[in-house]
């Protein structure tokens, strides 16, 4: 997947954990983890020419779409959605370039992958003394372990709310 180094696809921060420093690489974003699990190579565009392709599209859409909405006097979300049904096919007829290779490039998802788990958000957290996990402003109660006893407070868990 070729992309423009957006923060959801590529780590742009300068914070490296001790584990990352020792490994010599930053952990991927959650989207990056999903791409890895699916066997999809993530390629971050570094050159202005590569980044320009997607930025030109966004620039064209932002300039042209805003102008078109203004010319049509459209001011509501409902009217915009109706207009997009006409605008998008017209835009694609004018600017789309046919692919050099028309063969499909997708593969079936391996049966052993649990897609629901794979595409869920995962956070590393610590189970508190009250047997709960705090994620942002959310408090999640952790059910007792298999023996019926609460989880030890030093346990680290991966949560998927």
């Amino acid at each position: 997947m070729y992309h423009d180094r957006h923060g959801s696809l590529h780590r742009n921060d300068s914070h490296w954990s001790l584990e990352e420093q020792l490994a010599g690489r930053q952990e991927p974003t959650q989207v990056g983890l999903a791409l890895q699990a699916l066997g999809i190579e993530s390629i971050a565009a570094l050159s202005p020419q590569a980044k320009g392709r997607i930025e030109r599209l966004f620039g064209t859409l932002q300039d042209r779409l805003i102008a078109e909405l203004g010319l049509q006097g459209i001011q509501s979300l409902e009217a915009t959605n109706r207009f997009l049904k006409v605008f998008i096919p017209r835009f694609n007829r004018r600017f789309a370039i046919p692919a050099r290779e028309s063969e499909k490039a997708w593969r079936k998802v391996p049966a052993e992958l649990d897609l629901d788990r794979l595409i869920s958000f995962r956070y590393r957290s610590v189970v508190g003394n009250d047997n709960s996990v705090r994620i942002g402003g959310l408090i999640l109660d952790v059910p007792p372990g298999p023996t019926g006893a609460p989880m030890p407070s030093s346990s680290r868990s991966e949560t998927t709310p």
Side-chain angles (χ1 to χ4, degrees), residues 124-128 131-133 150-158:
R124 189 167 291 280
S125 58
V126 176
V127 178
N131 225 40
S132 67
V133 176
M151 297 284 284
S153 61
S154 61
S155 292
R156 293 184 73 67
S157 64
E158 194 173 87

Side-chain angles (χ1 to χ4, degrees), residues 54-155:
I54 194 70
E55 288 172 2
R56 275 194 303 277
L57 171 64
F58 292 157
T60 301
L61 282 175
Q62 288 169 352
D63 289 345
R64 188 171 304 274
L65 182 56
I66 299 300
E68 292 275 348
L69 291 171
L71 288 171
Q72 299 292 322
I74 295 173
Q75 297 180 349
S76 72
L77 181 59
E78 295 80 16
T80 300
N81 286 331
R82 283 193 304 275
F83 176 73
L84 286 174
K85 290 178 182 175
V86 173
F87 175 80
I88 291 172
R90 190 175 69 213
F91 181 88
N92 286 341
R93 277 193 303 278
R94 182 165 180 195
F95 293 104
I97 299 171
R100 274 184 283 188
E101 298 176 26
S102 61
E103 184 178 330
K104 304 267 189 266
W106 60 271
R107 299 182 305 245
K108 288 189 176 189
V109 175
E112 66 273 7
L113 280 181
D114 179 357
L115 277 181
D116 288 335
R117 180 159 176 78
L118 181 65
I119 62 173
S120 62
F121 288 105
R122 290 174 268 171
Y123 303 94
R124 189 167 291 280
S125 58
V126 176
V127 178
N129 290 335
D130 61 351
N131 225 40
S132 67
V133 176
R134 295 175 186 342
I135 300 174
L138 186 63
I139 299 172
L140 302 172
D141 290 325
V142 178
T147 64
M151 297 284 284
S153 61
S154 61
S155 292

